[in-house]
Structure formats: structure tokens, C-alpha cells
């Protein structure tokens, strides 16, 4: 007796369809699971056996062989339990195989037959739809993710018994209603730029970073507001589109970080890893590669506080995602490419003691200590940071000023208008903001008039800029022009972009 059932697993951040082949034949009782299963999948034999027995369904006491195809792909997780159980019931002729065509089953089984939540269901549903499946059955606890995808009928079941009764036509399950992803897109942040006193240059730089997706470094003495400002950057970013929200939700579903109360990630991610983080945790890794912090920051902000305290080798790993917007990880078992289009916001002190250039406290560092501190961040990495801003100490009069600063909502309005201009210009090219432009786009959209070209040439020679620095200054200038509603990059826009890049190097 033979049966084939469709299941799903994950590979990286994508779903992969698995054909579960079950053969029940005469012979001594034996349950063999083949097809390169990982440990969690191999243990499914005992879970499936107990779940079937405790649900009062037959378990054949003969030779059982289950093959998970394709056999050369390593299967991870416990989401194949349900498809294996349904395959066994079909092979035993308890279920009609013809009625299970184009149906996909996902879920982990408990020993008493309950269907437990699994990670990565959203990716699996999207893959099942792409492969032409008509119906998919998922755990009841994953219902929120099942409501997000159209063009496929999604059912949820709490127990194996509920599911089997539905397949037998006795107690029908109701398909999940579809949810408008952006229906609850209004969010209230607990922080706001109105709380920030002073730091007008830094506020302006962060607005430009949000409008164009540019990376930024904040340099200043302890207590001047670097972290305060960085944590408010996410509050002025434009709302996520439906495609961006699904992309971020898929990533968080895979790693099991999707909030219990939310069906979809509507807020842009803000990740702030500690400086003790390893390279694998930052970029992603493991024997089977998993997403790291740069991927969890996709479409959002990656904040690295105390930048020189990170291991230099770890920071050097940021070069590829900052340049390409994706990170490629190769292992013996697999090679994965994860998306990593994020805004890097970094903060650091100007010297080890933190008071170099401070008008009040004297710096006690030796020049050799300052040089060693700054060498922790390589030139190639600094070259990839679009804006480098020096923050000054906030005056007492500014702290005591009761008048609130400009709110995040007001800044966000300008950011959204600038992004709409960029979207109209860049969407046909498959990119969404100025920071993502390549060399050809810079040449096309960042043209300078004669006066601006003269300014650029002078600073390029005086400051010994690299070709990368040249292009990044032009991208920032393009964003400043978009914020001003200007079709052309003017001398003032270019001068501000140069100043914002060289501010921390004075």
C-alpha cells in the first residue's frame, strides 16, 4: 500500500514543497524514515505513532517506509509530522487518496494528537501557492499568518481528529477569512523627536537618512544624545508597503520571532545588538544557515551603539550587505542569500574616554590611544557610511526649554513626500530609495550643473575622496533635493551633502 502527500519545510527564509511518500508492506514491524531528515524530523516517528494511537486511528504493525523527496535536501523542523500522519492513514486506506490531491499539510503533532504551532508557516503557504496547491491545512495557532495570503484556501485544525473528520466529510472546517494586511497600519510609538532638545544638525541628518535610506554615524561625547536620536529614527520612516510587510513578516516567522499578538509586522524593524555579538549572529549562519541581525533589520534600522567596541572582524562583515543589500552565506550543506536592505545607524565616542573636543571636560587620552581607538573601524567600512555627524554637548538653556521640538509625525510627512518622488523615479528599476542606486542610476539621476560640478571637483581633490565616496555624496545630495522638492541638484544641496559626510572628520 502506497500513498503520496504534500508537505512543506523551510530552506533559509523560503518555503520548499516536500513530497511525503509512504509505503506500508508486509514484514516485521519497522518504521523507517529516509530522505535526509534532521534530528527533529527523525523524531517525528514516535510523535506520529503516539498521536495516531491516542486519536484512536489505526497504526499498521508492519514494515513502514517514509521517503521525504527531494532526497538531497536536508529537512529541518517538526512541520512534517502532520503530512506523515495523513500519509500513513491514506496508505492504510482510511483516507481516500484522490480527495487529497493538491492539498498540503503542515503541523507538529503532540503525543495526544493536538496540532502544535510551527515556525515559518507564512513562507510555506506562499510556496504552496506558487507550486499550485489549492488547499493547505495549518495549526490553529498559526491562523494569523494563514489570513495574509490570497489565492489559496487555508484551513486550521486544533487536533488530528478535527482534521481527519473534515477529510472524511463528517465535520467540515471553515476556511480562514482573508485579512487586509494594512488595515491596522496606524501605530503609536513610545518615543518621539519632540522629546529631543537641540542637536539640529543631527536631527536634519537623520531626516535625510530616513528620506533616502542612507547610513549614518553619530559621533559625540557621552550623554549628548546619540542613542536618544538613533532610537527615534524608526519613528520617521515611511509606512511599509504590503510587499515590505509580508517580506519582514516572513523573516520573523522563520526565526520564530513573530509577536504572538500580531499577525503581520507593520512597524519597521529596529534591531540593536550588543557589541559582544558574534559574526554568525550578526550576518547569519549555523550548519544550516539562518538569518542574522542584518536580515532581521531588513526594511528597517540596524543600530550599532559603541561601534568601536564591536570586534573588527565582525564589523568587516557588514561591507557586503551595505553595498549589495543582501548577504550570501555558504556552508557545506547549503548556500543561502538573505535580504538585508537596512539603514545602518551607528554611534561612537570620539576617543576612549569620550571627551575629545568637549568644551567642558578635558580629554585625557594619549594620541596613540586615540589613533588605536579609531583604527578599530576600517577605512573601507567608513567609506560605506553616507553621513558622519559630530554631536555637541546640549546647553542647559536647551534642556530647560519647555517648548517641544518638531514631532516625528511632522518630519515623517516630509520623508514620505520625498520617498514618493523617489518611488516614481526608481520603481521601474526595481529599487525604492536613493541609497539603493547603483553607478548607472547615479549617472542618470544625479547630474550636476556646471557650478555644482565645480564644487564637487574641488572637494574631491582637496579631500582625496574615493569613487565610492563621490557616488554616495551625490546620492545624499539627490535626497536633499527631493526633500526640497527640487528636480535638479543645486550647489546648496551638494554642499550640505559634503558637509554631512565630512562633519565628523573635522
Amino acid at each position: 500500500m502506497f500513498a503520496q502527500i504534500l508537505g512543506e519545510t523551510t530552506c533559509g527564509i523560503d518555503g520548499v514543497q516536500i513530497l511525503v511518500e509512504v509505503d506500508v508492506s508486509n514484514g516485521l514491524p519497522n518504521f523507517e524514515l529516509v530522505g535526509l531528515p534532521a534530528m527533529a524530523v527523525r523524531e517525528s516517528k514516535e510523535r506520529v505513532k503516539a498521536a495516531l494511537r491516542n486519536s484512536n486511528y489505526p497504526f499498521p504493525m508492519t514494515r513502514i517506509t517514509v521517503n521525504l523527496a527531494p532526497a538531497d535536501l536536508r529537512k529541518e523542523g517538526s512541520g512534517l509530522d502532520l503530512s506523515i500522519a495523513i500519509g500513513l492513514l491514506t496508505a492504510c486506506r482510511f483516507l481516500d487518496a484522490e480527495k487529497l490531491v493538491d492539498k498540503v499539510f503542515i503541523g507538529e503533532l503532540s503525543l495526544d494528537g493536538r496540532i502544535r504551532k510551527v515556525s515559518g508557516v507564512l513562507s510555506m503557504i506562499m510556496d504552496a501557492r506558487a507550486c499550485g496547491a489549492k488547499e493547505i491545512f495549518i495549526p490553529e495557532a498559526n491562523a494569523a499568518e494563514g489570513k495574509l495570503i490570497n489565492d489559496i484556501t487555508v484551513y486550521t485544525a486544533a487536533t488530528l481528529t478535527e482534521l481527519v473528520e473534515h477529510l472524511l466529510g463528517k465535520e467540515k472546517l471553515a476556511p480562514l477569512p482573508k485579512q487586509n494586511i494594512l488595515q491596522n497600519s496606524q501605530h503609536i510609538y513610545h518615543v518621539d523627536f519632540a522629546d529631543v532638545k537641540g542637536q539640529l544638525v543631527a536631527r536634519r541628518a537623520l531626516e535625510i537618512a530616513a528620506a533616502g535610506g542612507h547610513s549614518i554615524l553619530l559621533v559625540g561625547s557621552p550623554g549628548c544624545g546619540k542613542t536618544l536620536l538613533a532610537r527615534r529614527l524608526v519613528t520617521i520612516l515611511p509606512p511599509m508597503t504590503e510587499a515590505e510587510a509580508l517580506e519582514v513578516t516572513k523573516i520573523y516567522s522563520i526565526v520564530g520571532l513573530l509577536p504572538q499578538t500580531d499577525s503581520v509586522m507593520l512597524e519597521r524593524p529596529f534591531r540593536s545588538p550588543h557589541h559582544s555579538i558574534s559574526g554568525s549572529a550578526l550576518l547569519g549562519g549555523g550548519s544550516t544557515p539562518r538569518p542574522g541581525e542584518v536580515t532581521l533589520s531588513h526594511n528597517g534600522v540596524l543600530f550599532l551603539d559603541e561601534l568601536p567596541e564591536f570586534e573588527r572582524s565582525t564589523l568587516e562583515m557588514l561591507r557586503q550587505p551595505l553595498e549589495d543589500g543582501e548577504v550570501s552565506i555558504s556552508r557545506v550543506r547549503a548556500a543561502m542569500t538573505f535580504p538585508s536592505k537596512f539603514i545602518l545607524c551607528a554611534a561612537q565616542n570620539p576617543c576612549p574616554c569620550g571627551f575629545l573636543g568637549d568644551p567642558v571636560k578635558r580629554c585625557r587620552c594619549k594620541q596613540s590611544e586615540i589613533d588605536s581607538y579609531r583604527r578599530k573601524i576600517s577605512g573601507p567600512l567608513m567609506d560605506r557610511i553616507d553621513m558622519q555627524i559630530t554631536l555637541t554637548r546640549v546647553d542647559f538653556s536647551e534642556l530647560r526649554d519647555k517648548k517641544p521640538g518638531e514631532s516625528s509625525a511632522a518630519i515623517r510627512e516630509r520623508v514620505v513626500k520625498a520617498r514618493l518622488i523617489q518611488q516614481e523615479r526608481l520603481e521601474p528599476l526595481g529599487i525604492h530609495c536613493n541609497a539603493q542606486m547603483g553607478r548607472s542610476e547615479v549617472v542618470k539621476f544625479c547630474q550636476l550643473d556646471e557650478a555644482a560640478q565645480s564644487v564637487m571637483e574641488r572637494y574631491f581633490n582637496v579631500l582625496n575622496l574615493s569613487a565610492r565616496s563621490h557616488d554616495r555624496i551625490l546620492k545624499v545630495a539627490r535626497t536633499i533635493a527631493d526633500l526640497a522638492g527640487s528636480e535638479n541638484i543645486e550647489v546648496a544641496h551638494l554642499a550640505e551633502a559634503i558637509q554631512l559626510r565630512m562633519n565628523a572628520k573635522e
Side-chain angles (χ1 to χ4, degrees):
M1 296 179 287
F2 175 76
Q4 290 182 333
I5 298 294
L6 295 176
E8 285 277 344
T9 188
T10 58
C11 183
I13 62 170
D14 298 316
V16 178
Q17 190 165 97
I18 301 298
L19 181 62
V20 180
E21 300 175 322
V22 181
D23 179 72
V24 179
S25 57
N26 294 328
L28 294 174
N30 186 40
F31 194 160
E32 192 69 29
L33 187 61
V34 298
L36 207 59
M39 180 59 70
V41 182
R42 288 201 296 268
E43 291 174 346
S44 67
K45 295 187 293 184
E46 301 304 321
R47 291 193 297 270
V48 169
K49 185 187 299 185
L52 287 173
R53 286 176 173 171
N54 291 325
S55 300
N56 297 316
Y57 294 123
F59 184 83
M61 297 303 295
T62 56
R63 180 177 178 81
I64 302 169
T65 303
V66 175
N67 179 46
L68 307 175
D72 61 344
L73 175 69
R74 186 173 178 81
K75 286 75 180 181
E76 302 281 348
S78 55
L80 292 170
D81 289 7
L82 190 58
S83 53
I84 293 173
I86 296 299
L88 279 169
L89 292 175
T90 306
C92 294
R93 302 296 185 260
F94 190 83
L95 294 174
D96 187 353
E98 293 183 359
K99 295 182 179 180
L100 301 181
V101 176
D102 293 333
K103 291 181 171 61
V104 180
F105 300 88
I106 301 169
E108 176 187 331
L109 288 173
S110 67
L111 300 185
D112 61 357
R114 285 180 290 115
I115 303 176
R116 288 179 171 153
K117 182 179 181 179
V118 296
S119 299
V121 164
L122 183 61
S123 297
M124 298 181 200
I125 297 174
M126 295 171 73
D127 181 71
R129 180 185 63 179
C131 292
K134 305 300 182 185
E135 298 179 7
I136 187 166
F137 297 84
I138 64 175
E140 194 172 64
N142 291 108
E145 296 169 74
K147 295 178 182 179
L148 303 177
I149 306 300
N150 296 312
D151 302 325
I152 185 171
T153 304
V154 182
Y155 294 93
T156 63
T159 65
L160 181 61
T161 301
E162 278 187 17
L163 176 56
V164 173
E165 292 295 297
H166 169 83
L167 296 175
L168 291 173
K170 296 180 180 179
E171 296 288 339
K172 285 291 185 179
L173 297 171
L176 285 177
K178 299 307 174 184
Q179 175 183 325
N180 180 0
I181 292 176
L182 302 179
Q183 65 181 357
N184 298 317
S185 58
Q186 297 297 323
H187 293 281
I188 299 175
Y189 292 96
H190 299 294
V191 294
D192 196 285
F193 266 96
D195 305 327
V196 180
K197 304 296 183 182
Q199 303 298 2
L200 297 181
V201 174
R203 289 170 64 105
R204 169 67 172 169
L206 288 170
E207 179 181 338
I208 295 169
H214 303 288
S215 54
I216 183 170
L217 171 65
L218 304 175
V219 181
S221 57
C224 67
K226 302 186 295 295
T227 303
L228 182 80
L229 286 160
R231 292 192 179 279
R232 283 155 177 76
L233 175 56
V234 74
T235 68
I236 62 173
L237 291 175
M240 283 200 290
T241 64
E242 182 174 324
E244 287 176 328
L246 274 178
E247 198 170 20
V248 173
T249 302
K250 182 171 78 169
I251 294 169
Y252 277 71
S253 174
I254 285 286
V255 297
L257 293 179
L258 194 63
Q260 295 287 340
T261 56
D262 297 333
S263 59
V264 59
M265 296 281 292
L266 294 175
E267 294 183 7
R268 291 188 180 272
F270 180 88
R271 304 292 297 182
S272 180
H274 190 260
H275 58 74
S276 61
I277 190 172
S278 67
S280 295
L282 183 65
L283 237 65
S287 56
T288 300
R290 302 279 288 178
E293 290 292 333
V294 296
T295 302
L296 293 174
S297 306
H298 182 59
N299 291 329
V301 176
L302 176 64
F303 176 47
L304 301 183
D305 201 4
E306 305 297 343
L307 188 66
E309 300 302 326
F310 287 78
E311 290 289 337
R312 178 167 176 145
S313 59
T314 300
L315 290 179
E316 291 304 297
M317 294 180 180
L318 289 172
R319 290 196 204 175
Q320 183 197 2
L322 282 174
E323 197 75 23
D324 302 333
E326 61 183 23
V327 55
S328 299
I329 302 172
S330 298
R331 296 292 184 269
V332 173
R333 293 174 178 169
M336 307 284 180
T337 298
F338 299 135
S340 58
K341 295 177 181 176
F342 57 88
I343 296 176
L344 173 65
C345 182
Q348 71 170 77
N349 295 326
C351 65
C353 77
F355 296 106
L356 180 66
D358 190 275
V360 177
K361 293 190 177 182
R362 180 184 173 188
C363 173
R364 299 185 180 277
C365 301
K366 298 178 181 178
Q367 187 60 45
S368 59
E369 293 173 336
I370 296 173
D371 293 341
S372 176
Y373 182 76
R374 291 179 173 176
R375 279 197 298 268
K376 291 182 179 180
I377 306 170
S378 70
L381 179 58
M382 288 291 286
D383 207 34
R384 287 170 168 82
I385 299 179
D386 298 333
M387 293 179 285
Q388 300 162 24
I389 311 301
T390 296
L391 279 68
T392 57
R393 179 183 290 271
V394 180
D395 292 335
F396 180 77
S397 59
E398 292 176 318
L399 286 176
R400 299 303 299 167
D401 187 3
K402 297 184 181 298
K403 183 180 178 181
E406 189 176 25
S407 68
S408 293
I411 301 173
R412 194 182 203 187
E413 286 183 11
R414 296 196 296 269
V415 168
V416 169
K417 288 180 182 178
R419 282 289 183 107
L420 289 175
I421 294 172
Q422 295 168 50
Q423 183 178 349
E424 184 178 352
R425 181 194 305 131
L426 301 173
E427 193 172 32
L429 303 174
I431 52 182
H432 308 290
C433 60
N434 290 332
Q436 297 173 6
M437 289 192 295
R439 176 62 185 160
S440 59
E441 290 80 28
V442 169
V443 171
K444 183 176 181 180
F445 299 118
C446 300
Q447 296 182 5
L448 303 177
D449 59 23
E450 187 174 343
Q453 186 67 40
S454 176
V455 171
M456 186 75 247
E457 182 180 1
R458 183 165 66 252
Y459 276 96
F460 184 86
N461 293 326
V462 169
L463 299 173
N464 295 318
L465 298 178
S466 67
R468 181 186 289 113
S469 295
H470 170 272
D471 287 356
R472 287 182 177 269
I473 288 173
L474 290 181
K475 290 188 223 179
V476 173
R478 178 68 266 173
T479 299
I480 295 171
D482 291 339
L483 281 168
S486 174
E487 185 176 348
N488 300 316
I489 298 176
E490 300 175 1
V491 171
H493 306 146
L494 181 63
E496 184 178 6
I498 294 171
Q499 180 64 25
L500 289 174
R501 184 171 181 85
M502 312 311 297
N503 186 280
K505 297 180 180 180
E506 295 176 347

